[in-house]
Amino acid sequence: MTDDARTLVVEGVSKVYETPTGPNMVLADVSLRAEPGETFAILGPSGSGKSTLLNIIGSLDRPTSGSVRLGPIHVTALEGPMLAQFRAHEVGFIFQDHHLLPQLTAVENVALPALAAGAADGAAQRARELLERMGVGGRADAFPAKLSGGERQRVAAARALINGARLLLCDEPTGNLDRETGLRLMELLRELSEDGVTVLMVTHNTEQAAMLGRGLALREGRLEPWEGEAGGAGA
Ligand code: ADP
């Protein structure tokens, strides 16, 4: 697949939750376009719909209307095995909590999605190489409990990319890290983008948001350019 074929296009996405007190429109006609290797920060107050947007882009949730495409793939129209295939191969998530399995070592955690996708051959070797690239090659055989917070998030990044995803969706991945460790993880995201991985990161952290290529703020369901601290991203 060529690079052009990986352009992410979000078009007119709206999301309405039905609640006992009536409909709650969380996203209202949200559109964005991300070329391969672009990096985006998505800011906005708690409850403004950041996670909802990321989940819709990553096919974990569906919009009420509108569409998401990744190159030729109509993400919002996927069902059944095609949806499973998309989740396994095209998109990777990193969350605030690492979600590593405590009973598996770092390399086993990273290899797991490859095994689940039926690509067991060489999975452990690929996992070790990815951990090396993430700067934690020396920790491959450690269990999550023995890793620092920053190391765990690097392992989580390797796990997100083991099946070749070129779209990395990050939901407050530095939320539990100290400032220095968080900045180092940001450096890693930047390096990945230089290799052509598209990165969308939800964050409250304006210092980190400023390190990414573009900033967007969600306000009252609408996505607007974020212009830095003066833009008042909120918390
Ligand atoms: P953020 O990530 O910006 O904090 P979220 O996307 O988590 O915001 O949530 C946006 C809004 O949607 C909130 O008001 C939340 O209560 C509501 N919401 C999220 N998920 C659901 C759901 N499954 N059902 C009903 N309301 C939801």
Side-chain angles (χ1 to χ4, degrees):
M1 194 174 276
T2 66
D3 264 0
D4 276 346
R6 297 285 191 165
T7 302
L8 171 70
V9 181
V10 176
E11 225 160 44
V13 160
S14 297
K15 181 72 179 180
V16 180
Y17 287 114
E18 296 300 334
T19 73
T21 53
N24 175 18
M25 179 168 271
V26 175
L27 300 173
D29 196 19
V30 167
S31 297
L32 78 86
R33 182 184 178 93
E35 302 298 340
E38 273 197 292
T39 59
F40 287 74
I42 300 172
L43 298 103
S46 285
S48 60
K50 303 181 298 296
S51 298
T52 301
L53 176 60
L54 218 58
N55 289 344
I56 288 173
I57 291 172
S59 80
L60 300 184
D61 198 355
R62 287 190 191 270
T64 308
S65 59
S67 67
V68 176
R69 277 181 290 131
L70 184 64
I73 307 169
H74 286 258
V75 178
T76 31
L78 293 174
E79 287 179 9
M82 298 297 282
L83 179 59
Q85 162 88 6
F86 177 83
R87 287 179 181 162
H89 292 275
E90 301 291 340
V91 64
F93 273 90
I94 313 178
F95 299 97
Q96 180 166 351
D97 180 47
H98 53 84
H99 293 298
L100 297 175
L101 296 178
Q103 66 274 36
L104 300 183
T105 63
V107 68
E108 288 167 348
N109 266 285
V110 174
L112 196 59
L115 304 186
D121 274 4
Q125 182 58 30
R126 290 202 306 284
R128 280 184 196 280
E129 285 165 11
L130 258 180
L131 286 169
E132 198 68 50
R133 181 165 162 225
M134 301 297 157
V136 284
R139 310 294 281 135
D141 296 306
F143 287 92
K146 300 286 182 192
L147 300 173
S148 70
E151 287 171 342
R152 285 181 200 141
Q153 288 301 60
R154 284 165 185 267
V155 175
R159 181 188 52 186
L161 298 175
I162 184 79
N163 286 338
R166 310 290 286 167
L167 175 61
L168 189 56
L169 304 177
C170 311
D171 200 344
E172 306 229 32
T174 62
N176 290 334
L177 304 181
D178 62 53
R179 180 171 175 273
E180 276 308 309
T181 311
L183 292 178
R184 286 209 297 276
L185 190 72
M186 295 304 297
E187 278 302 324
L188 176 67
L189 294 181
R190 209 148 61 177
E191 285 167 27
L192 292 173
S193 75
E194 284 164 11
D195 289 344
V197 176
T198 306
V199 177
L200 270 62
M201 172 170 151
V202 163
T203 183
H204 284 126
N205 186 312
T206 53
E207 181 186 26
Q208 293 173 5
M211 295 173 71
L212 297 172
R214 285 174 61 188
L216 298 168
L218 260 178
R219 279 193 202 89
E220 291 167 9
R222 302 201 172 267
L223 203 54
E224 306 165 354
W226 176 71
E227 311 289 356
E229 301 260 9

